[in-house]
Amino acid sequence: MAFGQIGIAVPGFWFAILLILLFSVRLGWFSAGGFPGWEAGAGLALKALLLPAVALALPEAAILARITRTAALDTLREEYVRTAVAKGLPRRAVLRRHVLPNALIPVATILGLQFSFLVAGAVVVENVFTLPGLGRLLYQAIGQHDLIVVQSVVVLLAVTVVAVNALVDIACAAIDPRPRVTA
């Protein structure tokens, strides 16, 4: 719970700066920014992407962990779970057959919503780590008043977010354990 609260409270860009201060400036394990390119080798490229990935993912993972915990605890209190336990089903079977499918619905919904936050956070985190990407391109285009590039990137990101939300809706319908009514 403490990890979740800290992850929710700390913004991604601030967490990125803290990661640079700790792992680049103080410990010297990573470079403070930049991307060497894939031609420099996959190891160096992935090492350069590790801190930005952590900076983007950790706040979202904290939110997802809290939602998952709450959904699982709420599902454990349902009557059908108590009935399955009373019938003598093993705990693992109850969790796998009854709790997990029902708890996944709100988790999948939040996961789809978090995608748009990841896209928005990438704009800032790419600039903190001076990484080449759509976020940095968008930031530079705004600074240079390049309206065509800004519009193109925003439309591309909006279409991607809508497509991901549509896929999440389909996934939620597929994992929903309630019986389906056929017409």
Side-chain angles (χ1 to χ4, degrees):
M1 292 300 293
F3 161 74
Q5 195 62 35
I6 291 170
I8 291 169
V10 177
F13 72 90
W14 183 249
F15 191 62
I17 293 171
L18 292 176
L19 287 174
I20 289 173
L21 286 174
L22 177 64
F23 292 107
S24 299
V25 176
R26 179 157 308 240
L27 298 174
W29 294 350
F30 295 94
S31 66
F35 184 68
W38 293 103
E39 55 276 348
L44 285 175
L46 291 174
K47 187 176 179 182
L49 294 175
L50 184 64
L51 286 182
V54 169
L56 273 174
L58 211 55
E60 302 304 324
I63 294 169
L64 197 60
R66 291 194 67 179
I67 296 296
T68 303
R69 180 182 183 277
T70 302
L73 289 175
D74 287 346
T75 305
L76 281 170
R77 292 186 194 108
E78 294 291 333
E79 289 292 327
Y80 57 87
V81 173
R82 281 189 254 177
T83 303
V85 171
K87 285 183 175 181
L89 280 175
R91 184 165 175 80
R92 181 172 281 181
V94 170
L95 290 173
R96 187 174 20 96
R97 282 192 233 157
H98 299 289
V99 175
L100 185 63
N102 287 294
L104 278 180
I105 296 168
V107 171
T109 303
I110 295 298
L111 192 60
L113 294 173
Q114 283 183 326
F115 180 77
S116 58
F117 288 106
L118 284 174
V119 169
V123 173
V124 177
V125 170
E126 283 178 9
N127 282 294
V128 170
F129 285 98
T130 61
L131 294 174
L134 281 178
R136 187 152 173 87
L137 174 67
L138 180 62
Y139 183 78
Q140 289 173 342
I142 290 170
Q144 296 170 354
H145 304 289
D146 192 351
L147 188 59
I148 301 297
V149 174
V150 172
Q151 286 177 339
S152 301
V153 172
V154 168
V155 167
L156 175 67
L157 296 177
V159 167
T160 305
V161 167
V162 169
V164 167
N165 283 328
L167 289 173
V168 166
D169 286 344
I170 293 168
C172 283
I175 63 174
D176 191 355
R178 293 178 290 191
R180 288 161 182 76
V181 178
T182 56

